[in-house]
């Protein structure tokens, strides 16, 4: 986990991806003027069978969180957060009929979480040796790396 000045090459890479044509709406603010864009990073390494429990990122992190998936694929599960899982910082009431979704993350994918997906849903990865994809069926897990970039409030 790193706080403060993050690796310049990493920030430049993420900046160039997020300002690419078609990705302008990936985050709900002007990426070119937010300073710092991110000042906290967490690098996770998952071995097959390892995941991360359902959580909403802490309130100390601002809205607009970016995750980079590397090396292998996984399924991330978004589920409506229960009141005890929610954090302050978002003043929109959850709707009672929200459903969870599974998001397939392949190497090179960039996940942007903001608003409801950041505050009203937990995200998690199951502790499993494989994922079940709606169309492709069973997929064995391989080691995966993720880099999550956030900004302290
Ligand atoms: C976290 O570190 O809080 C995450 O949710 C990581 C998610 C990922 O591995 O893509």
């Amino acid at each position: 986990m790193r706080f403060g000045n993050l690796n310049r090459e990493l920030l430049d890479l993420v900046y160039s991806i997020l300002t690419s044509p078609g990705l302008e709406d990936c985050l709900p603010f002007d990426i070119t003027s937010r300073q710092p864009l991110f000042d906290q990073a967490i690098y996770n390494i998952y071995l097959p069978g390892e995941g991360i429990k359902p959580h909403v990122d802490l309130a100390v992190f601002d809205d607009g969180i970016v995750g980079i998936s590397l090396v292998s694929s996984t399924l991330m599960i978004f589920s409506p957060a229960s009141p005890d899982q929610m954090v302050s910082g978002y003043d929109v009431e959850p709707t009672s009929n929200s459903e969870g979704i599974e998001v397939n993350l392949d190497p090179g994918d960039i996940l942007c979480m903001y608003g409801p997906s950041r505050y009203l849903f937990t995200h998690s990865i199951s502790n499993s040796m494989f994922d079940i994809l709606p169309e492709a069926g069973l997929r064995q897990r391989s080691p995966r790396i993720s880099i999550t970039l956030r900004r302290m409030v």
Side-chain angles (χ1 to χ4, degrees):
M1 196 179 286
R2 289 186 66 98
F3 290 89
N5 290 331
L6 303 183
N7 179 282
R8 191 70 255 162
E9 285 79 19
L10 174 63
L11 282 178
D12 287 350
L13 175 68
V14 171
Y15 180 87
S16 65
I17 293 169
L18 295 178
T19 52
S20 303
L23 291 185
E24 297 87 357
D25 297 332
C26 180
L27 289 172
F29 47 79
D30 180 11
I31 289 154
T32 61
S33 63
R34 184 164 98 154
Q35 285 296 332
L37 184 52
F38 301 107
D39 58 10
Q40 197 270 342
I42 182 159
Y43 305 78
N44 287 327
I45 302 176
Y46 302 85
L47 296 177
E50 294 179 338
I52 190 163
K53 69 180 169 81
H55 64 284
V56 174
D57 283 8
L58 298 175
V60 292
F61 299 118
D62 214 343
D63 200 5
I65 293 169
V66 166
I68 306 167
S69 283
L70 299 169
V71 187
S72 79
S73 304
T74 200
L75 266 194
M76 184 172 278
I77 303 158
F78 284 83
S79 306
S82 56
D84 60 305
Q85 291 171 313
M86 286 190 196
V87 299
S88 59
Y90 191 61
D91 59 7
V92 174
E93 286 294 314
T95 57
S96 56
N97 61 357
S98 352
E99 287 179 14
I101 57 161
E102 292 181 337
V103 177
N104 182 53
L105 295 174
D106 287 326
D109 279 353
I110 302 273
L111 175 78
C112 296
M113 285 189 284
Y114 67 87
S117 63
R118 186 262 178 271
Y119 289 107
L120 302 182
F121 285 76
T122 63
H123 55 282
S124 62
I125 297 169
S126 67
N127 293 321
S128 177
M129 299 297 286
F130 56 85
D131 291 306
I132 300 173
L133 304 176
E135 282 161 24
L138 208 68
R139 180 179 62 199
Q140 296 292 334
R141 293 251 188 98
S142 300
R144 170 177 178 266
I145 294 177
S146 70
I147 302 173
T148 304
L149 297 168
R150 303 181 274 217
R151 186 171 85 147
M152 308 290 291
V153 171

